[in-house]
Amino acid sequence: MPENRVLVWNRGIAIYFVHLPPRNDLSMSEEKSLNFIEEIVEADLAAGKYQSILTRFPPEPNGYLHIGHAKSICLNFGLAKKYGGKTNLRFDDTNPSTEETEYVESIKEDVKWLGFQWADELYASNYFEQLYQFAVQLIEKGLAYVDDSNSETIAQEKGTPTQAGIENSFRSRSISENLQLFSEMRSGKYKDGEKVLRAKIDMASSNMHMRDPIIYRIKHAHHHRTGDTWCIYPMYDFAHGQSDSIENITHSICTLEFIPHRPLYDWCIEQLGIFPSKQYEFARLNMTYTVMSKRKLLQLVNEKHVEGWDDPRMSTISAMRRRGYPAESIREFCDKIGVAKRENLIDVGLLEFCVRETLNKTALRRMVVFDPLKVVITNYPDTVEMLETENNPEDPNAGTRTMPFSREIYIERDDFMEIAPKKYFRLAPGQMVRLKSAYIIKCDEVIKDADGNITELKCSYIPESKSGSDTSGINVKGTLHWVSVAQALQAEIRLYDRLFKVEDVANAEGDFKDHINPDSLQVLPIAYAEPALLSDQPNSTYQFIRKGYFVLDRDSTNEKLVFNRTVTLKDGWAKEAKKA
Ligand code: ATP
Ligand code: MG
């Protein structure tokens, strides 16, 4: 095992983190220690700093949420739940050119599906007037100025981390001139990029974000909520902290890349004398074989590498839902990975492990034959017998169903071998197997076409061997799944695999799209499924016996059911890794 990996055992199954997170992040034991944010919250509550806590989840509606966002959602809503507080859903919609209502709707759906309910649904755009007034207040205090420089000049004059920036002539504009110009910016007198409003802080600060950051820019663009009311928009750093403060957010949790923004967050709040929200940072979730930036996910969609945002291979929450991941498993995963203070890369196998854990307990067992070979049971009468079988041996409350059994059934083609090796316990000439929940059969004859392809098997059954009342005294080692031919439903099976071939996609050489796995989707156009699948609830999750976990896809029609593979029964990639 490479040095930067650590093995974690969970109920006998090995899971590994690719990079070792700090010790207390491996919250695998039953008794969990507090994460560092919980420690802060408990200290704040104990000191009486707040009566109760208020967190927020602040997505920018410029794409669908991904599993990284799920981590942030579970953290923010989880904290509030644990400490009796509340969480707002706030859309950070300050960039009109990339934001859309479609994204707002999908985000709400995903948060609800994950099992969380927000206190208030809010939008940074609700505060545009208030934010404008905040900017006016800064100007009045001599703490903001209108700069006519173009973006290249502003960037140049900012200096470098080792060299102080330059204070330009616009910096000494009078308060009244600044007020006049800012008001003209708002009224639409200037074109995009002609002027900006900057905070007047310190052009020599060691923190580049404090070197007179731009707080307002001109953008003549239609906003998905405010329409054409505004042609100036606040920058993230001038909108986020103030929005937190307006809502009385106590703990504003974001990812590590915002650490250098924190002094500016605090500066704005302090200069405006408003509610002192505080920012805390944790490491964003990175996962193997996956990309997670909305920009990259959008590229995959636009360039048709996938079918859409909810293509089951995507890392979005909607894709995982469509693929059949239970929300419970995603929450469990977010809980297991803990809250880290430094970047790490989490094995996607851990998420799949959580999915299997839930589905093993909840998925209905069904029989589906993917690659059919017809079996004729020559001594079975020409009738249909309904056999009773359990829906889930792990769940006594799941009940039973009946399955038609008849003279003609399908089994998997690869469950038969004409010349079988010694320890082959499936079907072979002269050999016996049990048909799951039915009878023991014996293969008597192999039928082939003119080209020598096997087209059918003739078998005989042992009438006394019926499952549950077997008096045959025959012991067989192999049990096969099967489907009765006459009642079989046609189904299309979509077998999904990882979308990328490399573990650390973000840091792999070249363009991330060079690493797309060309075999990430395999479609089996005609599989045969037992008839119970037609009457099950549409959202049921399944274990197709011996095949994996599956879910019905929305592309299903009355003529043809379509199933997505949620996850395999075992972790096939772990085996691959061992071989390598
Ligand atoms: P992306 O880079 O994927 O577009 P983002 O950070 O721009 O993500 P936002 O919509 O701004 O996306 O994020 C909403 C919240 O989710 C923020 O608080 C952000 O810090 C958090 N978040 C985003 N990605 C992750 C991640 N991978 N792990 C944990 N939290 C994340
Ligand atoms: Mg963002």
Side-chain angles (χ1 to χ4, degrees):
M1 195 166 57
E3 231 176 272
N4 62 344
R5 295 182 185 211
V6 59
L7 256 187
V8 177
W9 290 89
N10 191 323
R11 271 170 263 179
I13 298 184
I15 299 160
Y16 62 84
F17 288 94
V18 175
H19 298 299
L20 177 60
R23 268 228 56 80
N24 65 354
D25 296 330
L26 300 178
S27 355
M28 292 290 172
S29 62
E30 291 301 318
E31 237 179 80
K32 285 201 324 195
S33 52
L34 296 180
N35 68 49
F36 76 97
I37 297 178
E38 289 170 336
E39 277 171 8
I40 292 166
V41 169
E42 291 203 0
D44 286 349
L45 289 173
K49 207 164 157 189
Y50 310 110
Q51 290 309 307
S52 67
I53 66 162
L54 184 59
T55 59
R56 88 285 170 266
F57 173 63
E60 186 181 350
N62 61 351
Y64 281 63
L65 297 182
H66 51 62
I67 183 75
H69 294 114
K71 172 72 220 176
S72 173
I73 292 168
C74 290
L75 178 57
N76 280 296
F77 283 89
L79 270 178
K81 196 168 166 201
K82 181 165 179 181
Y83 296 103
K86 286 181 180 167
T87 305
N88 286 343
L89 174 61
R90 181 194 326 131
F91 291 97
D92 200 351
D93 57 347
T94 53
N95 186 1
S97 47
T98 55
E99 294 157 5
E100 288 174 30
T101 307
E102 175 198 343
Y103 297 138
V104 170
E105 293 310 315
S106 77
I107 289 168
K108 290 201 278 186
E109 191 184 345
D110 288 348
V111 174
K112 272 192 247 165
W113 178 76
L114 275 174
F116 298 105
Q117 187 53 58
W118 52 87
D120 288 315
E121 176 187 329
L122 301 162
Y123 295 80
S125 56
N126 292 353
Y127 312 133
F128 280 170
E129 182 61 39
Q130 173 74 76
L131 292 168
Y132 178 84
Q133 295 305 332
F134 282 153
V136 169
Q137 276 180 43
L138 285 189
I139 296 173
E140 284 169 343
K141 287 180 81 176
L143 292 173
Y145 62 99
V146 173
D147 192 330
D148 301 358
S149 316
N150 61 31
S151 52
E152 291 81 42
T153 310
I154 290 177
Q156 243 169 34
E157 289 177 352
K158 261 210 157 167
T160 66
T162 50
Q163 197 176 18
I166 297 164
E167 296 183 357
N168 66 21
S169 58
F170 302 112
R171 200 175 197 266
S172 47
R173 271 182 164 147
S174 70
I175 290 174
S176 59
E177 191 185 1
N178 281 319
L179 286 172
Q180 167 81 19
L181 290 171
F182 188 48
S183 145
E184 287 172 358
M185 279 169 67
R186 173 181 185 162
S187 65
K189 187 168 175 187
Y190 307 109
K191 290 198 285 290
D192 288 10
E194 231 180 296
K195 288 186 170 23
V196 290
L197 184 72
R198 298 175 71 175
K200 195 194 260 187
I201 307 179
D202 178 5
M203 287 305 287
S205 170
S206 58
N207 181 335
M208 300 292 284
H209 294 276
M210 298 296 274
R211 293 188 187 174
D212 293 8
I214 297 172
I215 56 177
Y216 261 94
R217 62 189 162 151
I218 300 169
K219 199 158 198 166
H220 292 269
H222 189 83
H223 187 281
H224 73 114
R225 290 187 75 246
T226 56
D228 299 312
T229 309
W230 293 89
C231 62
I232 56 171
Y233 291 94
M235 302 298 286
Y236 171 88
D237 284 318
F238 197 70
H240 202 89
Q242 283 89 315
S243 301
D244 284 343
S245 179
I246 291 168
E247 294 172 18
N248 286 359
I249 300 296
T250 55
H251 299 81
S252 174
I253 301 161
C254 59
T255 39
L256 293 181
E257 68 273 22
F258 290 98
I259 289 177
H261 296 248
R262 197 196 317 140
L264 182 53
Y265 182 105
D266 291 338
W267 183 89
C268 290
I269 284 178
E270 202 186 316
Q271 297 306 330
L272 295 166
I274 52 182
F275 180 83
S277 298
K278 287 283 170 200
Q279 175 184 303
Y280 302 95
E281 309 87 8
F282 73 105
R284 62 171 49 230
L285 165 64
N286 302 303
M287 205 165 69
T288 57
Y289 300 103
T290 313
V291 293
M292 257 196 259
S293 107
K294 279 181 278 188
R295 191 177 50 81
K296 288 181 182 165
L297 294 172
L298 183 62
Q299 262 185 66
L300 292 174
V301 173
N302 285 346
E303 296 171 21
K304 308 226 173 327
H305 296 285
V306 293
E307 228 186 68
W309 283 98
D310 69 348
D311 183 301
R313 292 166 291 183
M314 295 277 273
S315 61
T316 56
I317 295 174
S318 50
M320 293 183 178
R321 176 167 62 236
R322 187 171 173 194
R323 189 162 170 171
Y325 283 19
E328 180 191 338
S329 305
I330 295 176
R331 292 194 303 266
E332 179 69 18
F333 168 72
C334 292
D335 190 45
K336 275 194 198 307
I337 58 180
V339 183
K341 269 193 201 172
R342 67 180 157 112
E343 291 281 336
N344 54 46
L345 183 64
I346 302 290
D347 187 346
V348 66
L350 179 60
L351 176 58
E352 292 167 352
F353 167 82
C354 294
V355 171
R356 282 190 199 97
E357 283 267 292
T358 310
L359 291 181
N360 183 42
K361 286 181 275 176
T362 56
L364 298 171
R365 272 50 171 179
R366 294 290 181 259
M367 295 204 224
V368 180
V369 172
F370 286 13
D371 182 14
L373 174 60
K374 193 166 160 184
V375 169
V376 179
I377 303 167
T378 51
N379 62 339
Y380 193 83
D382 220 355
T383 53
V384 178
E385 185 180 357
M386 296 307 289
L387 299 174
E388 191 168 4
T389 180
E390 60 204 333
N391 279 324
N392 184 349
E394 302 287 323
D395 177 9
N397 296 323
T400 61
R401 70 188 188 283
T402 55
M403 265 191 88
F405 182 78
S406 68
R407 233 176 111 80
E408 293 190 350
I409 60 164
Y410 291 123
I411 63 165
E412 289 301 340
R413 191 162 279 278
D414 68 5
D415 277 338
F416 174 78
M417 267 181 108
E418 200 173 9
I419 302 162
K422 246 204 165 128
K423 287 203 168 159
Y424 188 76
F425 298 123
R426 293 180 255 172
L427 206 56
Q431 206 160 296
M432 289 199 233
V433 288
R434 170 168 293 285
L435 296 175
K436 167 93 183 136
S437 303
Y439 298 93
I440 292 174
I441 58 168
K442 181 174 163 222
C443 177
D444 302 317
E445 193 186 344
V446 182
I447 312 290
K448 295 181 184 175
D449 64 13
D451 301 324
N453 302 310
I454 299 170
T455 54
E456 191 178 301
L457 302 178
K458 297 230 183 282
C459 295
S460 47
Y461 87 117
I462 316 291
E464 305 79 42
S465 66
K466 189 169 167 177
S467 291
S469 57
D470 183 358
T471 54
S472 70
I474 302 169
N475 261 331
V476 291
K477 285 219 167 94
T479 301
L480 308 185
H481 62 280
W482 53 273
V483 172
S484 171
V485 171
Q487 296 80 16
L489 306 171
Q490 280 210 11
E492 175 181 305
I493 305 286
R494 297 178 181 169
L495 301 175
Y496 293 102
D497 202 343
R498 294 176 182 172
L499 189 55
F500 293 93
K501 292 177 292 187
V502 292
E503 207 168 58
D504 192 354
V505 186
N507 293 310
E509 248 174 63
D511 186 79
F512 77 101
K513 286 171 290 173
D514 298 343
H515 305 289
I516 291 179
N517 175 7
D519 304 316
S520 60
L521 171 60
Q522 190 196 347
V523 180
L524 309 179
I526 304 177
Y528 289 105
E530 64 165 286
L533 284 162
L534 206 54
S535 45
D536 289 329
Q537 292 300 313
N539 291 327
S540 300
T541 53
Y542 302 106
Q543 184 192 99
F544 292 168
I545 292 171
R546 300 172 67 223
K547 288 296 180 187
Y549 292 100
F550 289 82
V551 69
L552 191 71
D553 190 77
R554 61 151 190 261
D555 289 347
S556 295
T557 62
N558 283 341
E559 287 71 46
K560 195 190 225 173
L561 301 173
V562 177
F563 292 99
N564 299 325
R565 181 167 67 195
T566 309
V567 67
T568 53
L569 287 176
K570 287 189 204 115
D571 183 359
W573 284 69
K575 247 188 281 163
E576 286 300 311
K578 240 185 242 166
K579 265 193 257 162

